[in-house]
Amino acid sequence: MKIGVLVKQVPDTETKIRIAADATDIVRDGIKYVVNPYDEFAVEQALKVKEQVGGDSSVTVVALGPPRVAEALRTALAMGADRALHLKDEAFEGGDTMTTARALAAALRLEAFDLVFAGKMAIDDNASAVPGAVAVLLDLPNVNLIHAFTLAADQRSANVRRRVDGGEEVVSCTLPALFTCEKGLNEPRYASLTGIMKAKKKPIEEKTAADLGLAADTVGKAGAGAQLVRLLPLPERGACKFIDGDAQQQARTLVQLLRNEAKII
Amino acid sequence: MPKKIVVVGEQRDGVLRKTSLEVLGAGRKLAAGGGVLEAALVGEGADAAAGELAAHGVAVQQVNGAAGAEAVSAALAWLVSEQGYEIVLLADTSMAKDVAPALATRLNAALMTDVVQMDLGADGSLRVVHPIFTGKVNAEFAVQGRSIQVLTLRPHTVAPAAPDGTTGAITKHSWTASVPPRAVVQEFVQSAAGRVELAEADIVVSGGRSLKSEENFALIEGLATALGGAVGASRAAVDAGYQPHSRQVGQTGKVVNPSLYIACGISGAIQHLVGMRTSKVIVAVNKDPSAPIFQNADYGIVGDLFEVVPMLTEEIKKLLGKE
Ligand SMILES: Cc1cc2nc3c(=O)[nH]c(=O)nc-3n(C[C@H](O)[C@H](O)[C@H](O)COP(=O)(O)OP(=O)(O)OC[C@H]3O[C@@H](n4cnc5c(N)ncnc54)[C@H](O)[C@@H]3O)c2cc1C
Ligand SMILES: Nc1ncnc2c1ncn2[C@@H]1O[C@H](COP(=O)(O)O)[C@@H](O)[C@H]1O
């Protein structure tokens, strides 16, 4: 079984986000980059399926981004992925979710994967949009937000569970298909020392827009329908109004304030 | 440049979701000044919801015959092309997360998800604000360069539209999927009846590690019920097993945006704050006056939640019970 995983490199969740002077980016100095946490679930699930199916199954991790993104691919290789594709081209910069999806889809199309896993959301752009677009471009069915995955015995479909507004769904989906992963799906493994050593010898193939047959005006900033104008600080909240008295007085005063001042209840 | 705008409604069990009326409210603003605003509903059993949308003064295009996200996005793409809509608005719900990216791709449209503010310039330029880095900063985007724009609106950012005294026409279409569905819902387990959904709730009452047990969360439940709100929890409370992950608010849980958020015994770690700090009014109950949550609250009670919360529940019951 050929399994593909979309892996994005993002600033660590602990990063202090500060707006840069020109307000078109965050301050990038000293940022530690990691594999997007939801993509770790995706890598782990791919490895689990590979281990379950065995044979000549393989896991290919795919990332689009600047040179530093190779580190994220190396991390996924160290976890156990077999090979990596790095979509690396200055022309990709400044793109939006749609240009990113188009480039990723062009790369995946060359491989004819049986299964593709992605994260539910990138924790930097918070779009939750790329995988759904990739699925349409590849004409794959797509089930989002899965927190349980079971491959059918004949390996031609999968049963998944996901939480949606109002409840939980059990979905069966024919393969090939694309799934996005939610927390709870699995516990991503740590790379072992031997994993890290082995990863150094595994291939990372680089692809440019031209390699993927993508015209320059369809990728990156040139092709993006959504262009970042500027970053804005969050609106400030006024000072907290502390409420005095014993518990009963506090409760009474608060309810009054919520009714008469905030007019919220 | 006036635009032709469509609001995609969503129904559950035949009832129009409140978020659909919010999107209609946002659509009205964009359509002010000569734009055309209509609504669309896709899927079976949507007659009542279509009626409700029409009662808000918009023409409704109702498309029957599509079930499942894949078919819904295909049917919507057909409708948008057929009707020549230029801006497509959806509420950022789990349905929209399935449908909007697919729809935008099928239409070769520009897409912005989870939008909290949208403005249409007189020249037809669309500017939107979308929180990034899990709500740590806002980003303004120009959505341009495509003939169609698809936007999903975060719940609770715009007041729901009220009826305007006119009734729109309902046009029915039928649509047949060209391929059988490949992803099929086998089973749907509804959340407990009467429970208000966290992401949709207008009021959220959350508890933290300090609740000390699952049983003690009954205090939080009690206040939430009295207010007609939903229960949330910090990660520490979820990790300790007091509440399910589906109720976790924050970076690795849900982002909520209610009118009122009451944090009980929650310290206010940044990972929690990013999940709730856009709430309109924030109340914090914490025994530590230096807890960071107070820096992000409008009203603060320094005290023991085990004393304060039951009193609050009583006061709320007195107030709301009288009406
Ligand atoms: C990668 C990552 C992701 C995370 N994601 C999330 C997330 O999604 N959501 C989230 O919430 N956290 C998240 N966290 C955890 C976060 O950093 C905090 O640890 C967590 O929010 C703390 O929960 P708490 O406020 O309940 O507990 P604590 O920090 O232990 O605070 C308890 C508070 O209760 C007060 N208190 C104690 N007893 C009482 C009483 N009787 N009456 C009144 N007040 C009392 C104390 O003064 C204290 O302020 C994440 C952390 C990391 C590293
Ligand atoms: N540049 C990228 N490279 C590889 N995968 C990506 C990239 N951007 C997004 N993805 C995938 O799409 C998921 C959702 O991202 P987003 O739509 O940006 O929130 C991520 O979790 C990744 O799996």
Side-chain angles (χ1 to χ4, degrees):
Chain A
M1 189 166 261
K2 279 187 82 172
I3 311 164
V5 187
L6 299 181
V7 172
K8 188 175 188 185
Q9 190 193 43
V10 296
D12 183 21
T13 56
E14 302 294 296
T15 308
K16 263 239 167 299
I17 302 294
R18 282 174 299 143
I19 298 176
D22 71 351
T24 60
D25 197 3
I26 58 168
V27 176
R28 296 271 167 184
D29 306 340
I31 287 184
K32 186 178 148 220
Y33 287 94
V34 296
V35 174
N36 183 42
Y38 297 104
D39 303 355
E40 290 186 346
F41 301 126
V43 173
E44 176 64 33
Q45 199 57 43
L47 295 174
K48 279 205 156 71
V49 173
K50 175 187 158 165
E51 285 156 4
Q52 182 195 339
V53 174
D56 57 0
S57 295
S58 67
V59 173
T60 304
V61 288
V62 186
L64 178 148
R68 61 170 156 76
V69 166
E71 299 157 27
L73 290 171
R74 207 56 86 184
T75 304
L77 292 172
M79 284 172 75
D82 299 286
R83 54 189 274 266
L85 296 178
H86 184 178
L87 280 49
K88 188 171 110 182
D89 192 328
E90 278 176 15
F92 291 139
E93 279 171 30
D96 64 1
T97 51
M98 289 291 150
T99 57
T100 299
R102 235 175 272 130
L104 289 170
L108 295 181
R109 194 174 287 125
L110 304 174
E111 305 277 337
F113 290 110
D114 302 296
L115 256 177
V116 181
F117 292 105
K120 76 156 181 180
M121 178 180 88
I123 63 162
D124 53 356
D125 68 14
N126 298 164
S128 298
V130 169
V134 167
V136 169
L137 292 165
L138 297 177
D139 191 24
L140 295 178
N142 136 244
V143 187
N144 292 322
L145 295 170
I146 64 167
H147 65 82
F149 178 93
T150 316
L151 188 66
D154 66 3
Q155 298 176 18
R156 293 165 78 167
S157 68
N159 255 296
V160 299
R161 288 176 166 270
R162 63 187 208 124
R163 269 182 220 100
V164 296
D165 298 345
E168 176 158 335
E169 286 179 356
V170 181
V171 183
S172 84
C173 184
T174 59
L175 302 189
L178 183 151
F179 300 93
T180 72
C181 304
E182 167 67 298
K183 192 182 170 202
L185 178 64
N186 53 45
E187 283 295 331
R189 68 194 67 185
Y190 289 102
S192 65
L193 204 58
T194 42
I196 293 168
M197 295 312 289
K198 276 192 196 154
K200 290 189 174 147
K201 293 194 203 92
K202 290 179 185 171
I204 297 183
E205 291 162 47
E206 294 180 0
K207 303 262 184 209
T208 63
D211 293 339
L212 298 171
L214 296 165
D217 61 351
T218 63
V219 298
K221 197 169 165 65
Q227 308 265 354
L228 180 71
V229 178
R230 59 185 168 154
L231 300 184
L232 306 161
L234 298 178
E236 290 278 331
R237 202 170 276 276
C240 180
K241 197 176 243 185
F242 283 97
I243 299 167
D244 299 327
D246 64 23
Q248 181 154 34
Q249 286 162 334
Q250 287 174 319
R252 275 202 191 130
T253 312
L254 176 65
V255 170
Q256 291 262 313
L257 287 167
L258 291 178
R259 154 98 5 155
N260 300 321
E261 188 177 85
K263 298 191 170 41
I264 215 88
I265 53 170
Chain B
M1 245 196 300
K3 296 272 184 184
K4 197 164 178 192
I5 301 164
V6 65
V7 163
V8 180
E10 191 180 345
Q11 51 111 10
R12 191 189 292 154
D13 306 327
V15 181
L16 187 71
R17 292 185 63 179
K18 193 181 135 213
T19 48
S20 300
L21 291 178
E22 294 173 3
V23 182
L24 191 62
R28 268 194 195 156
K29 279 205 237 157
L30 293 191
V36 174
L37 178 65
E38 297 190 350
L41 271 167
V42 180
E44 298 304 313
D47 287 355
E52 197 180 341
L53 277 169
H56 285 75
V58 281
V60 181
Q61 309 289 340
Q62 192 184 340
V63 186
N64 291 313
E70 196 176 1
V72 168
S73 73
L76 268 173
W78 166 79
L79 184 74
V80 170
S81 308
E82 187 83 2
Q83 301 289 325
Y85 296 123
E86 298 167 279
I87 299 179
V88 185
L89 301 177
L90 302 94
D92 197 82
T93 59
S94 45
M95 182 278 261
K97 286 196 163 68
D98 291 344
V99 168
L103 176 64
T105 307
R106 289 175 195 274
L107 293 168
N108 193 23
L111 171 71
M112 279 303 302
T113 54
D114 191 25
V115 166
V116 296
Q117 195 185 315
M118 45 178 99
D119 294 292
L120 188 58
D123 59 351
S125 62
L126 191 59
R127 289 284 174 104
V128 305
V129 175
H130 160 62
I132 57 173
F133 292 103
T134 329
K136 288 180 189 161
V137 60
N138 279 330
E140 182 183 324
F141 290 88
V143 192
Q144 58 196 24
R146 291 285 184 285
S147 49
I148 304 173
Q149 287 129 2
V150 177
L151 306 177
T152 71
L153 178 74
R154 182 181 286 196
H156 292 300
T157 44
V158 176
D164 66 353
T166 66
T167 305
I170 299 174
T171 310
K172 295 202 178 184
H173 307 266
S174 67
W175 193 86
T176 318
S178 54
V179 284
R182 297 177 287 186
V184 178
V185 179
Q186 303 289 351
E187 200 185 326
F188 181 70
V189 187
Q190 207 163 342
S191 314
R195 282 264 166 76
V196 187
E197 192 73 35
L198 193 53
E200 277 170 58
D202 210 32
I203 296 181
V204 175
V205 184
S206 287
R209 189 202 314 267
S210 52
L211 264 298
K212 293 206 180 80
S213 72
E214 188 180 347
E215 294 71 42
N216 287 343
F217 253 85
L219 282 180
I220 304 296
E221 295 264 4
L223 181 54
T225 306
L227 285 162
V231 172
S234 72
R235 170 161 164 184
V238 171
D239 286 352
Y242 309 158
Q243 288 291 302
H245 178 251
S246 57
R247 287 185 165 178
Q248 182 178 317
V249 172
Q251 184 173 300
T252 41
K254 289 209 167 70
V255 173
V256 299
N257 185 28
S259 307
L260 176 60
Y261 188 89
I262 306 184
C264 307
I266 291 179
S267 57
I270 179 69
Q271 297 89 352
H272 188 80
L273 293 176
V274 294
M276 43 62 79
R277 71 175 158 197
T278 59
S279 307
K280 199 176 285 159
V281 175
I282 297 173
V283 173
V285 180
N286 196 303
K287 66 178 182 190
D288 174 7
S290 64
I293 188 76
F294 288 122
Q295 282 156 33
N296 289 276
D298 301 285
Y299 298 109
I301 291 182
V302 178
D304 183 346
L305 75 92
F306 290 98
E307 287 174 32
V308 175
V309 173
M311 296 280 182
L312 255 178
T313 308
E314 278 314 301
E315 292 297 323
I316 295 286
K317 278 188 185 157
K318 264 196 244 166
L319 177 78
L320 301 181
K322 257 194 245 153
E323 293 172 339

